[in-house]
Amino acid sequence: MSETVRLIIEGKEYELPVIIGSEGEKAFDITALRRKTGYITYDPGFGNTGSCASAITFMDGEKGILRYRGIPIEDLAENATFIETAFLLINGHLPSLSELNQTRVLLNDSSMLHESMQVFFQNFPQASHPMGILSAMIMALRSFYPDMGTEEDIHTHFLYLISKVRTMAAMSYRMSRGEKVVYPRHDLSYCANFLNMMFDSPVHPYIVDEDLVKAMNVFLILHADHEQNCSTAAVRLVGSSRAPLYASIAAGVSALWGPLHGGANQAVIEMLEKIHKDGATIDEVIRRAKDRNDPFRLMGFGHRIYKTYDPRAKIIKKMCDKVLGKLKIEDPLLDIAKRLEEVALTDAYFIDHNLYPNVDFYSGIVLRAMRIPTNMFTVMFAIGRLPGWIAQWKESMEDPSRRISRPRQIYTGLTESAWVPMDQR
Ligand code: ACO
């Protein structure tokens, strides 16, 4: 017999079906709750609400587990490329050699942007944040590639996006510096191509460094999906109205921008720079982070799901040491980060609140070492998260039980009130 839970409301008992996931995760199904009882649930921030069933990513926040399509993040970071990981997320299985080759060809074939898109880039004010530009340009892409066509064409659109977003990111950087755009090259891998588009110049031709290419692959893999986070939920929500793929992805970029989500990688570096510049002591910083009357938070610490060390943070921390060692960089910000982590991990407040470093705590230091400018950090996160958003959008479109997302509310405003004529207000 299938499991149920019993709910007693105003003395009347209701039986609700239980849904159990493949890793033993449990939920009770409240889809008929309002119709049967007149009640809704109240869950600001959706901390206890399952908005969908998904077969893409599994996380266990208590044990620090993260798997894409069943494969541990540690194995993917060690062995896979970002493109293999993207294929895995979107298609549900690792690519065969011929599938991978075909994907590479399609990525190369779609890496250029329509020349007239350059005009858009040129007309953004100089101080525009690259995340705003990226979101707007993804939306604009839809006008250049409007027809989704057959199912095969939809797969081509997925690869268009993965390829073109990388080109757009590099292009917006070059243009913001008043530099000539570097076109993508067919002989380079996805990450090497990006680094070349960012840094190649006639005076200093870019020489591909395989260790940095590996570091970028790992960075992107670690960010590729994270189940129903703020930006992914935004992608699914916008897609639920049957808005186009491009509009849904642009919504994901916008949600990612905020400092409590993807924008944290930029915020961490800005925080570390400020500590360095002001000469603040670690104890002072920790004291401020714990003070409820002070809005300051230790950026790069805490997570809605992880109540232990973020498994991605462990991998990126190791990568950070490797990249800095290889490039012989001594970064005072890394020393501050390490000292902050040491103190925070032994402080009662951080222990009691289960606050551990998240992926953003060290990722900014790796990106800095790779010469990626700080205001591009969240764009790097978006390039990484793109396959996850696409996979989640695709899964939601294929779900036979899909409905438009439409939460309810508890109204707390005035009850019916009389209209007041102007001369009596
Ligand atoms: N520094 C100090 N205190 C913190 C921090 C922090 N970074 N994060 C949470 N807390 C405290 C809160 O003050 C609160 O304390 P209280 O219960 O005594 O009032 C408690 O921990 C719970 O915090 P919430 O904000 O309710 O936790 P929530 O799950 O809603 O937020 C979040 C998670 C947004 C990640 C939060 O930890 C935070 O703001 N961290 C800093 C920003 C950051 O690093 N974001 C990146 C997240 S990972 C990602 O998106 C890739």
Side-chain angles (χ1 to χ4, degrees):
M1 212 178 84
S2 55
E3 243 181 271
T4 55
V5 294
R6 266 175 296 205
L7 185 68
I8 299 168
I9 299 181
E10 292 168 5
K12 198 169 165 204
E13 193 171 292
Y14 300 89
E15 217 164 74
L16 303 173
V18 166
I19 303 172
I20 305 179
S22 53
E23 289 283 355
E25 288 181 304
K26 289 184 180 178
F28 50 89
D29 180 349
I30 57 155
T31 43
L33 186 70
R34 188 170 185 283
R35 185 166 47 80
K36 287 192 175 164
T37 69
Y39 276 70
I40 61 167
T41 55
Y42 182 65
D43 186 21
F46 308 131
N48 307 282
T49 298
S51 61
C52 61
S54 177
I56 300 169
T57 289
F58 173 69
M59 295 171 65
D60 181 327
E62 272 74 35
K63 296 191 185 128
I65 293 173
L66 174 62
R67 298 184 199 130
Y68 300 158
R69 302 284 187 183
I71 304 180
I73 191 67
E74 293 79 5
D75 288 349
L76 289 166
E78 180 78 26
N79 302 305
T81 62
F82 173 59
I83 293 307
E84 278 178 294
T85 307
F87 188 101
L88 170 73
L89 284 166
I90 296 169
N91 299 292
H93 62 91
L94 284 168
S96 66
L97 188 59
S98 73
E99 285 170 324
L100 192 58
N101 286 336
Q102 206 185 349
T103 302
R104 285 195 185 118
V105 170
L106 276 167
L107 286 169
N108 272 334
D109 287 353
S110 49
S111 58
M112 302 286 276
L113 294 182
H114 204 287
E115 281 295 324
S116 48
M117 289 193 89
Q118 282 210 26
V119 180
F120 294 163
F121 282 101
Q122 279 157 353
N123 286 306
F124 278 102
Q126 232 188 351
S128 302
H129 194 285
M131 283 299 273
I133 299 179
L134 187 65
S135 176
M137 295 309 284
I138 290 175
M139 207 57 137
L141 268 182
R142 155 79 182 164
S143 306
F144 289 90
Y145 307 97
D147 188 13
M148 289 298 263
T150 64
E151 198 174 316
E152 209 171 287
D153 294 334
I154 292 169
H155 274 90
T156 311
H157 277 271
F158 295 159
L159 295 177
Y160 270 2
L161 261 172
I162 292 176
S163 191
K164 289 186 197 304
V165 159
R166 169 198 54 179
T167 308
M168 289 194 303
M171 197 165 175
S172 60
Y173 168 69
R174 301 291 295 218
M175 288 190 143
S176 71
R177 293 165 58 93
E179 291 171 359
K180 246 183 112 191
V181 167
V182 175
Y183 285 84
R185 271 175 40 187
H186 282 202
D187 59 317
L188 294 179
S189 69
Y190 185 87
C191 292
N193 222 331
F194 174 77
L195 294 170
N196 187 64
M197 282 190 269
M198 289 283 287
F199 302 120
D200 188 51
S201 83
V203 188
H204 300 291
Y206 184 73
I207 297 164
V208 174
D209 177 331
E210 286 307 330
D211 286 328
L212 292 192
V213 170
K214 172 70 184 168
M216 181 168 163
N217 267 291
V218 171
F219 172 89
L220 297 180
I221 290 168
L222 297 183
H223 290 81
D225 196 48
H226 219 218
E227 53 118 299
Q228 306 314 312
N229 54 83
C230 177
S231 57
T232 302
V235 169
R236 281 188 177 253
L237 190 129
V238 171
S240 80
S241 75
R242 307 290 178 272
L245 169 70
Y246 293 90
S248 309
I249 299 294
V253 174
S254 303
L256 190 72
W257 191 352
L260 298 192
H261 191 15
N265 55 14
Q266 176 173 344
V268 168
I269 289 296
E270 286 165 356
M271 173 188 81
L272 295 175
E273 277 172 345
K274 185 158 181 357
I275 296 170
H276 183 55
K277 187 166 143 260
D278 295 352
T281 65
I282 300 297
D283 287 346
E284 247 176 275
V285 175
I286 298 281
R287 186 190 47 72
R288 282 194 64 197
K290 296 191 305 190
D291 182 355
R292 277 201 157 155
N293 300 317
D294 188 329
F296 174 77
R297 277 189 169 194
L298 203 51
M299 299 313 286
F301 263 74
H303 197 275
R304 173 63 62 80
I305 308 274
Y306 291 124
K307 298 305 164 205
T308 181
Y309 213 103
D310 179 341
R312 302 166 304 168
K314 277 188 196 157
I315 299 170
I316 201 102
K317 187 179 175 187
K318 245 196 241 161
M319 178 57 73
C320 188
D321 284 334
K322 203 168 158 195
V323 169
L324 266 64
K326 146 105 197 194
L327 298 175
K328 300 195 172 47
I329 294 177
E330 281 185 22
D331 191 340
L333 300 196
L334 179 64
D335 297 335
I336 297 176
K338 284 188 167 166
R339 278 188 288 132
L340 265 179
E341 182 190 339
E342 246 170 58
V343 177
L345 289 179
T346 51
D347 186 283
Y349 173 91
F350 284 82
I351 294 168
D352 291 349
H353 286 75
N354 292 318
L355 295 171
Y356 293 87
N358 58 50
V359 68
D360 293 314
F361 195 62
Y362 286 106
S363 64
I365 296 174
V366 173
L367 293 175
R368 232 163 91 94
M370 291 167 79
R371 290 169 43 211
I372 308 286
T374 313
N375 70 354
M376 286 280 291
F377 286 4
T378 317
V379 169
M380 300 300 293
F381 190 153
I383 298 174
R385 184 54 54 87
L386 189 52
W389 288 333
I390 292 171
Q392 301 270 351
W393 181 89
K394 176 172 175 272
E395 186 179 67
S396 70
M397 290 300 127
E398 290 167 353
D399 180 354
S401 64
R402 68 187 194 271
R403 298 175 76 194
I404 187 167
S405 295
R406 204 311 185 180
R408 303 201 64 119
Q409 64 164 15
I410 296 294
Y411 175 69
T412 57
L414 290 178
T415 52
E416 186 172 350
S417 312
W419 162 254
V420 184
M422 185 60 80
D423 60 356
Q424 290 171 33
R425 287 178 213 166

